[in-house]
Amino acid sequence: MDDLRELYQEVILDHSRKPRNLRAIAHARRAEGFNALCGDRVTIFLHLEGDTVADVSFQGSGCAISTAAASTLTETLKGRPVAEAERLYHAFHKMVTEGELPADAPDMGKLAAFAGVAEFPMRVKCATLAWHTMEAALHGKGEDGEIVSTEDD
C-alpha cells in the first residue's frame, strides 16, 4: 500500500511541476473557475468535434493538487466521447469527496492518484476545481468568462 501511495504522490508531483496542455485553445468553449478559499484559478478550454473532446487544455495558477488535477484532466479527456467525460467527472467527484467510486465508474487511470484527497477535506476543492470548470465549459456555462465557484463542494 505504501508503494501505491508513493506512486500516486509521484504522479501528482510530476503533473504539478510539468503540467501538460498548459495553453489556450483559440475558438474553444471555455470557463473560468476560482476557489475563493485558497485563490486557485483555472480556465478550461474545450474543443469539441461532434460528441468527442477533440482537444482540451487549461491555464491558471494554484497549488500542486489543483495544477495536477487540471493537467491529468486534460490528458484523460482528450479524444474521449463527451458522455465518457461526464462519467469521469461524476466518478472523480465521488472518489475525492466520498473516498469511493461508483459501481459503473470508468477506468480512472492516473486520476486514481487523487483518491487519497478524500482523507483531506480542505483539499477537495483544489482537486475538483478543474473538473467543475470543465463541466461548466462542456455545458456552455462559461462561454463569456463566467466564474465557476467551488463553494458548495
Side-chain angles (χ1 to χ4, degrees):
M1 186 63 149
D2 286 339
D3 289 341
L4 188 57
R5 191 175 296 252
E6 187 174 311
L7 175 63
Y8 286 168
Q9 288 174 347
E10 287 178 28
V11 168
I12 291 171
L13 287 174
D14 180 48
H15 277 268
S16 70
R17 290 178 182 147
K18 295 179 280 180
R20 281 59 155 190
N21 303 300
L22 181 62
R23 59 187 164 74
I25 300 173
H27 311 293
R29 292 179 181 216
R30 72 178 182 92
E32 296 178 11
F34 176 65
N35 183 342
L37 293 176
C38 67
D40 292 347
R41 290 186 173 276
V42 68
T43 302
I44 298 290
F45 300 88
L46 284 174
H47 174 69
L48 303 179
E49 289 181 3
D51 68 346
T52 301
V53 178
D55 199 5
V56 57
S57 66
F58 80 102
Q59 290 184 319
S61 60
C63 68
I65 290 175
S66 177
T67 301
S71 178
T72 55
L73 174 149
T74 64
E75 280 197 330
T76 302
L77 296 186
K78 193 180 294 189
R80 295 199 189 218
V82 169
E84 189 171 348
E86 290 279 4
R87 285 194 304 278
L88 282 162
Y89 164 78
H90 292 291
F92 185 85
H93 193 269
K94 186 169 179 82
M95 179 182 71
V96 299
T97 58
E98 300 176 26
E100 60 186 55
L101 286 170
D104 63 343
D107 177 23
M108 299 301 283
K110 289 182 180 180
L111 299 177
F114 295 89
V117 170
E119 298 173 28
F120 305 96
M122 291 302 295
R123 303 312 300 235
V124 169
K125 291 180 186 340
C126 303
T128 60
L129 177 63
W131 287 89
H132 285 298
T133 308
M134 178 280 300
E135 181 78 352
L138 191 60
H139 294 287
K141 295 180 182 173
E143 294 289 325
D144 297 317
E146 175 183 334
I147 300 296
V148 177
S149 176
T150 61
E151 295 298 315
D152 54 348
D153 252 343

